């Protein structure tokens, strides 16, 4: 355990994998995938929030199938679960799998929360601050009732891009899990948070030496985020222009946030994040079908990324 009522951070290793494809797999298949990821040597699996499966339940199944691997939510959307529910979920995971689960939280975006799910989406920074307060209050209340069987709270990281959410990640969490960012953003996040908190960027990759394949997958991926205001706003802060945000994203933008090529090129990008101050980088292997898990890329990249 650490001081200040926070459990010890799980061991993430230097490189992990990020996936939303597990939301379309059976629990048995996800358990097999987790066991293989552990055998390959990756330190963690980051599970996206989905509309078909619950990442907490998938995390439990995958933790049961492994002995060392860390599972993290990347991210759990706060509007989908009351703080009391998340406090109970994380307490149970901490009790069953000590020091192997990391709670990643985020506000998501209006298209997902308001338009698809029909839930309120307003003032994300204030909503996140209130949610963290609610989590701490729920834990304190269960402890007061003698029900806090899992001890200190789970460590948590926040999805953060802009300076205000990054500041909250440093003051009210153990760091940040960033998404669709170049190494330059990782350097800014490290500078803002200082040497202590976690900085964990996701890095989208396409393991292919065919430029057509790389460009098709990368542009489809980036294009799907252009209508979500937080990402374009962050890219503008990093020096991109409105011209970079049209027609699926400019080549300059796409190449900045997605790396394609051989294993050496992907390793160089991962290392750039680490050199910029990342503690851990989780790779998202892009295929042509987002409902599948491109485990072949994980396998082929493991020797280069984990040596």
């Amino acid at each position: 355990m650490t001081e200040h009522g926070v459990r010890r951070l799980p061991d993430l290793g230097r490189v992990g994998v990020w996936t939303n494809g597990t939301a379309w797999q059976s629990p048995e298949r996800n358990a097999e995938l987790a066991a293989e990821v552990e055998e390959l040597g990756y330190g963690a699996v980051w599970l996206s929030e989905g509309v078909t499966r619950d990442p907490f339940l998938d995390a439990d199944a995958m933790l049961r199938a492994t002995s060392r691997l860390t599972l993290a939510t990347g991210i759990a959307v706060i509007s989908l679960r009351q703080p009391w529910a998340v406090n109970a979920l994380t307490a149970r995971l901490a009790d069953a799998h000590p020091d192997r689960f990391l709670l990643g939280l985020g506000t998501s975006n209006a298209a997902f929360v308001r338009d698809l799910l029909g839930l309120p989406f307003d003032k994300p920074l204030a909503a996140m601050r209130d949610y963290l307060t609610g989590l701490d209050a729920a834990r304190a209340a269960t402890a007061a009732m003698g029900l806090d069987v899992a001890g200190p709270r789970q460590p948590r990281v926040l999805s953060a891009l802009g300076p205000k959410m990054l500041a909250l990640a440093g003051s009210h969490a153990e760091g940040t899990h960033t998404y669709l960012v170049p190494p330059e953003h990782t350097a800014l996040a490290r500078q803002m948070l200082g040497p202590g908190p976690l900085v964990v960027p996701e890095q989208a990759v396409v393991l292919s030496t065919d430029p057509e394949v790389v460009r098709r997958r990368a542009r489809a991926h980036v294009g799907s985020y252009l209508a979500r205001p937080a990402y374009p706003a962050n890219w503008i802060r990093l020096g991109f222009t409105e011209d970079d945000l049209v027609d699926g994203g400019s080549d300059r933008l796409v190449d900045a946030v997605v790396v394609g090529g051989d294993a050496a090129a992907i390793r160089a990008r991962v290392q750039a994040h680490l050199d910029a101050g990342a503690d851990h980088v989780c790779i998202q292997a892009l295929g042509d079908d987002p409902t599948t898990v491109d485990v072949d890329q994980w396998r082929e990249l493991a020797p280069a990324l984990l040596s």
Side-chain angles (χ1 to χ4, degrees), residues 102-229:
L102 181 59
L103 176 63
L105 295 169
T107 59
S108 190
N109 57 83
F112 180 74
V113 175
R114 185 181 61 212
D115 300 341
L116 180 62
L117 302 178
L119 299 172
F121 186 84
D122 187 39
K123 298 182 179 178
L125 181 68
M128 178 60 79
R129 186 182 293 110
D130 290 346
Y131 196 86
L132 297 176
T133 300
L135 273 179
D136 294 340
R139 179 178 159 272
T142 56
M145 291 187 291
L147 302 175
D148 190 16
V149 295
R153 73 161 173 83
Q154 277 297 104
R156 59 202 184 199
V157 292
L158 307 185
S159 173
L161 295 175
K164 292 180 180 179
M165 194 69 84
L166 282 169
L168 188 66
S171 63
H172 287 65
E174 280 62 63
T176 184
H177 170 44
T178 57
Y179 189 85
L180 267 182
V181 297
E184 291 78 8
H185 184 273
T186 298
L188 290 172
R190 174 54 67 203
Q191 181 181 18
M192 172 168 284
L193 294 178
L198 287 173
V199 175
V200 178
E202 167 271 351
Q203 175 62 62
V205 307
V206 181
L207 181 62
S208 174
T209 55
D210 184 336
E212 242 180 69
V213 171
V214 173
R215 185 62 65 204
R216 181 182 72 249
R217 294 181 183 177
R219 177 154 282 116
H221 181 63
V222 173
S224 67
Y225 288 91
L226 287 171
R228 307 179 189 185

Side-chain angles (χ1 to χ4, degrees), residues 220-270:
H221 181 63
V222 173
S224 67
Y225 288 91
L226 287 171
R228 307 179 189 185
Y231 296 101
N234 188 52
W235 296 328
I236 293 293
R237 280 192 297 267
L238 292 172
F240 293 95
T241 70
E242 295 293 338
D243 291 338
D244 292 304
L245 308 179
V246 297
D247 298 327
S250 68
D251 288 350
R252 183 170 80 110
L253 173 62
V254 170
D255 290 343
V257 296
V258 179
V259 59
D262 59 14
I266 292 170
R267 175 175 177 158
R269 178 67 64 85
V270 169

